[in-house]
Amino acid sequence: MAETESLADWMANLNEKFTKIPLSQLAIPGSHDAMAYSLDMDSSVLEPKKIKALDKMFSTFLRPIVKKWGTAQEKNISEQLDAGMRYFDLRVAGKPESSDLFFYHGLYTTMTVKEGMTELEKWLGQHTKEVVILAFSHFKEMSADQHTDLTNFLKEHFKAKLCPKPQVPSLKDCWESGYQVILSYDNRSVDDPVLWPGIEYWWADHSDPKEVISYLNNQKQKGRPEGLFVAGLNLTFDGNDMLLYLTKSLKEKTMTAYPLLLDWVKEQHSGSDKESVNIIAGDFVGVNSFAQDIIQLNNADNSH
């Protein structure tokens, strides 16, 4: 696969046998905290708790730190799609002073949910054989009415592109029916044929890549879920870490850890057996061989 042309349409270019199996048996690159590239320094701090409590008094000092540690991506949604991402971790929050909904990671994003989804829908219109999994979760400061408004907007926005649950489709199924979006909405109060439940995310909650790998291997031993699931390669730092490493950033820590994490990726395989992987999500996607290494697992020998 040549680097450039291929990843924007990698699903369209897959070997035919991989287009006939459920998406839960493919290796799929994903974006953790996908919208955390447009964080707003003028917004209040939503997390972590320790820093949120201090934000009122020390906002000019703290917000740049939260931004440095909250910025988990640097490519925008179209660039992430071009780079091969097909799973998007989307965290949404209401803002007391606004009728719009925003994404967030530590701080609110400058981009509204509607703007982000409009950009994504436009991209899908230009890449009709690509299928994305949108995982809405970790909702904050949202009323029941706002949930209704958001799900109505998403249904109206993606219309016939939405794949109904519960059978995980193959690419071929999606192509035949014109489906391009699996919409997971992790909120019990909302039920609809096109809103899939939350997708299991293996999250190590650790800042050391060795610990992340050991956690993921441990999860694999227990066996994978049957449907779609995510193995998270993302490192996690808390408020203490942020204040401890004032001169560092999430990007610096993540990029240093990537070689080790990508070695782990290359040892994985897709498929349906107990130890197979499915979606693998990371931070700062599109800046190294992350997507290429994951997509490659679909061309490897799958007879494990």
Side-chain angles (χ1 to χ4, degrees):
M1 271 192 181
E3 284 297 314
T4 44
E5 47 86 39
S6 56
L7 297 192
D9 295 289
W10 71 263
M11 288 177 157
N13 298 332
L14 265 187
N15 177 316
E16 192 186 3
K17 71 173 178 179
F18 293 103
T19 67
K20 295 176 177 171
I21 56 175
L23 292 173
S24 49
Q25 293 176 25
L26 287 181
I28 297 174
S31 176
H32 169 253
D33 276 310
M35 294 300 184
Y37 56 84
S38 76
L39 300 179
D40 183 2
M41 290 268 274
D42 295 327
S43 82
S44 50
V45 172
L46 277 153
E47 55 179 359
K49 278 196 182 75
K50 173 175 259 186
I51 289 182
K52 182 178 180 174
L54 299 170
D55 183 47
K56 296 267 184 291
M57 290 188 295
F58 302 111
S59 61
T60 42
F61 168 65
L62 289 172
R63 284 180 193 173
I65 296 169
V66 176
K67 183 168 182 173
K68 237 172 29 158
W69 288 93
T71 299
Q73 302 298 343
E74 56 182 23
K75 298 203 174 286
N76 68 33
I77 192 84
S78 301
E79 291 167 333
Q80 291 183 36
L81 286 156
D82 284 340
M85 297 315 125
R86 296 294 176 266
Y87 163 91
F88 295 89
D89 164 30
L90 303 169
R91 300 163 188 228
V92 176
K95 225 185 207 182
E97 67 278 18
S98 170
S99 59
D100 283 319
L101 292 171
F102 295 82
F103 302 103
Y104 73 91
H105 189 217
L107 300 162
Y108 288 97
T109 53
T110 51
M111 175 184 274
T112 66
V113 171
K114 288 184 178 177
E115 288 166 345
M117 292 302 98
T118 301
E119 185 180 335
L120 192 140
E121 207 267 337
K122 184 181 167 203
W123 189 93
L124 289 174
Q126 297 159 348
H127 301 267
T128 52
K129 289 182 112 176
E130 302 307 296
V131 176
V132 296
I133 298 150
L134 306 182
F136 282 84
S137 69
H138 296 75
F139 302 101
K140 272 189 196 293
E141 321 263 340
M142 277 178 70
S143 65
D145 283 350
Q146 284 174 306
H147 277 291
T148 307
D149 290 347
L150 176 54
T151 50
N152 284 341
F153 163 75
L154 293 168
K155 287 190 299 187
E156 183 50 37
H157 187 67
F158 291 113
K159 298 192 177 74
K161 286 189 173 82
L162 291 172
C163 172
K165 61 190 182 192
Q167 200 61 49
V168 177
S170 65
L171 282 172
K172 202 164 178 298
D173 297 333
C174 290
W175 297 342
E176 284 168 2
S177 302
Y179 301 145
Q180 283 188 276
V181 179
I182 288 180
L183 181 56
S184 155
Y185 200 89
D186 193 10
N187 183 292
R188 293 225 171 83
S189 65
V190 183
D191 189 35
D192 189 278
V194 294
L195 296 180
W196 294 61
I199 293 171
E200 188 171 329
Y201 193 110
W202 291 357
W203 176 47
D205 192 10
H206 215 287
S207 59
D208 179 345
K210 291 192 186 71
E211 293 294 336
V212 171
I213 289 168
S214 122
Y215 162 82
L216 292 173
N217 286 336
N218 205 18
Q219 289 293 105
K220 278 176 59 183
Q221 290 307 308
K222 298 179 196 166
R224 60 163 287 166
E226 193 150 310
L228 297 163
F229 80 102
V230 187
L233 292 188
N234 46 296
L235 307 180
T236 304
F237 296 87
D238 61 16
N240 289 343
D241 294 323
M242 293 176 195
L243 296 171
L244 185 65
Y245 300 120
L246 282 182
T247 57
K248 304 270 188 244
S249 67
L250 181 60
K251 179 166 188 192
E252 193 177 331
K253 290 282 186 187
T254 299
M255 297 321 288
T256 308
Y258 252 130
L260 204 61
L261 297 169
L262 292 181
D263 284 345
W264 180 83
V265 167
K266 289 169 194 152
E267 291 164 9
Q268 307 311 308
H269 62 272
S270 59
S272 56
D273 64 285
K274 179 184 156 188
E275 289 204 19
S276 58
V277 295
N278 177 203
I279 299 160
I280 300 178
D283 290 332
F284 300 101
V285 297
V287 297
N288 56 18
S289 65
F290 171 80
Q292 188 78 32
D293 292 344
I294 295 166
I295 294 164
Q296 209 51 50
L297 301 177
N298 297 310
N299 299 324
D301 171 24
N302 270 42
S303 53
H304 288 263

